[in-house]
Every structure is written in C-alpha cells, then in structure tokens.
Amino acid sequence: GENVEQHPSTLSVQEGDSAVIKCTYSDSASNYFPWYKQELGKGPQLIIDIRSNVGEKKDQRIAVTLNKTAKHFSLHITETQPEDSAVYFCATLFSGTYKYIFGTGTRLKVLA
Amino acid sequence: NAGVTQTPKFQVLKTGQSMTLQCAQDMNHNSMYWYRQDPGMGLRLIYYSASEGTTDKGEVPNGYNVSRLNKREFSLRLESAAPSQTSVYFCASSERRAGNTEAFFGQGTRLTVV
C-alpha cells in the first residue's frame, strides 16, 4: 500500500550537534519528497523539498538526501539551535494521484 | 493574504452529535486535503479533493464525509461523532507545479468528543 515510514519518533541532541531523520516510502514512482516543521499549536510548514532527479539539496543548515534505489530520503540539520525544537514530518506525493501522505513525525528536542 | 482558514478552532461534541468543519483557501489551489493528527500517529489523510468536483478517500475515511463546495471551500462532516474522533483536524491545499508541490495548512481544529 501507499505509506511513508519515519524514524526515529523522538530525537534529543545537544545544541550545536547534528540531527538526522529518515523516511522510507513504498511507491517507487513517487517523485516529490518534502519535509515539514510543525511548531506547537500551528499547522506544519514546508522547510525543504527534493525532486526525484536530484540526490541532495541544501538550504543553509538543513539538507535533504534522496536514495531512489533504496526508496528512502533523509533530513539533516547541522549546528542545531534551540529554535529547531519542533515536530518534523516527511511526506510524499504518490504518482498518478494527488494523495499527499505524511510520515508519523519526529519530535526533535535541542538541549541547551 | 489569509492562506488556509479553518473554523472553528475548538469544539466539544457529545457522542452522536453531528458537525461540519469548514475550510477555505484563497490561493486558487486545485487540491485540498483533510488530515487528523493524533499523538504518535502523525498526520493521517482522511479525504482529499484533487480538483473542484472530485473527492477521494484517504487512509482513514470511515465516519467522515466531505464536500468540495467550490474551488475555495472543502468541508468535513462528522455525521455521528464518536470518542475515537477526538483529534486535531487540519485542512491543507496545494497546487501541483514543476518546481514543487508545497502543501499549505490551516491552524487546525481541536475537536473533543465526550
């Protein structure tokens, strides 16, 4: 079936360290892989995305990598700061439909 | 520019009552979505509408109905609320483009069924 698995469910890191969150998807024809950040009491917001013709994309301290053969993609946050503490979701848009499916989320805590 | 607007923000229902959650977007997007968010379960897709005039089931459609009233509005109806439907509900909209297909979310509706 169409699903996205996300790990870990919680992650605690010291300020300044790196954080990595991984997702695996089921539809080999998926071609769009975004990451969202959700702060307390708000809806999720897009922070970075990647298309299937690109292996890695960076935007300042965040990066996303994609391995289409293994059907997984990862979010990397370097030099973490307290304001990075939030819930992060991976997602994918399944090909041939407009189904936008999200992972189960990772609660990131950056410890000062 | 309001983006995606959901009403109400909070609601308490008794078991068996019905209600409709409203969602409107002002970005001229074709696709709209309803999700529920429960602790440890992430965002689960209830129903979606790829374009005006079409609706399709998502991952957890049982107990819900939807209406795509026009391009702007997409409502979610609970005909007979159950405690298992206690959750935070999010509406989202998106437009498929070559560059990206970002989903824009409303602020959420916190629903409690007692």
Side-chain angles (χ1 to χ4, degrees):
Chain A
E2 299 160 326
N3 72 306
V4 180
E5 294 186 3
Q6 181 173 346
H7 299 281
S9 57
T10 61
L11 180 60
S12 293
V13 299
Q14 289 294 133
E15 183 178 357
D17 287 351
S18 296
V20 180
I21 304 169
K22 297 181 179 180
C23 283
T24 304
Y25 59 96
S26 59
D27 181 6
S28 58
S30 293
N31 59 9
Y32 179 65
F33 307 94
W35 284 91
Y36 288 79
K37 178 182 181 182
Q38 185 181 30
E39 296 178 341
L40 199 60
K42 297 183 178 180
Q45 285 192 298
L46 180 76
I47 54 172
I48 194 167
D49 57 12
I50 193 168
R51 289 210 160 267
S52 60
N53 58 343
V54 177
E56 183 177 1
K57 182 178 177 181
K58 285 185 179 179
D59 182 2
Q60 298 183 345
R61 295 187 297 108
I62 60 173
V64 55
T65 58
L66 172 65
N67 183 328
K68 279 223 82 179
T69 303
K71 292 193 287 186
H72 66 69
F73 58 113
S74 300
L75 177 70
H76 304 254
I77 306 174
T78 58
E79 300 171 27
T80 52
Q81 300 169 4
E83 53 265 37
D84 295 329
S85 295
V87 178
Y88 292 82
F89 291 98
C90 62
T92 191
L93 192 61
F94 284 87
S95 63
T97 75
Y98 288 82
K99 251 185 186 176
Y100 215 121
I101 301 292
F102 284 76
T104 48
T106 297
R107 182 173 297 278
L108 174 65
K109 295 181 185 177
V110 179
L111 308 171
Chain B
N1 192 350
V4 179
T5 303
Q6 289 182 237
T7 55
K9 286 187 171 51
F10 301 94
Q11 183 71 51
V12 179
L13 288 179
K14 293 182 179 178
T15 297
Q17 285 186 318
S18 62
M19 81 161 292
T20 300
L21 280 64
Q22 307 287 353
C23 176
Q25 51 94 7
D26 62 3
M27 295 171 282
N28 202 36
H29 287 167
N30 277 303
S31 301
M32 296 186 73
Y33 305 84
W34 276 105
Y35 295 89
R36 59 177 289 173
Q37 184 173 23
D38 303 294
M41 302 294 286
L43 289 161
R44 292 185 291 171
L45 181 64
I46 304 171
Y47 271 94
Y48 67 104
S49 171
S51 60
E52 186 179 355
T54 69
T55 60
D56 286 285
K57 294 179 180 179
E59 301 166 283
V60 288
N62 292 345
Y64 305 94
N65 284 302
V66 290
S67 295
R68 184 74 183 266
L69 305 168
N70 48 55
K71 192 171 185 179
R72 289 187 64 248
E73 298 172 286
F74 188 38
S75 62
L76 178 72
R77 183 159 178 85
L78 287 70
E79 290 291 351
S80 178
S84 61
Q85 293 177 306
T86 293
S87 189
V88 180
Y89 291 84
F90 285 98
C91 177
S93 71
S94 73
E95 188 65 32
R96 208 165 210 171
R97 296 194 177 95
N100 73 58
T101 312
E102 179 177 357
F104 292 84
F105 284 81
Q107 291 283 74
T109 295
R110 185 173 293 276
L111 175 67
T112 303
V113 183
V114 297

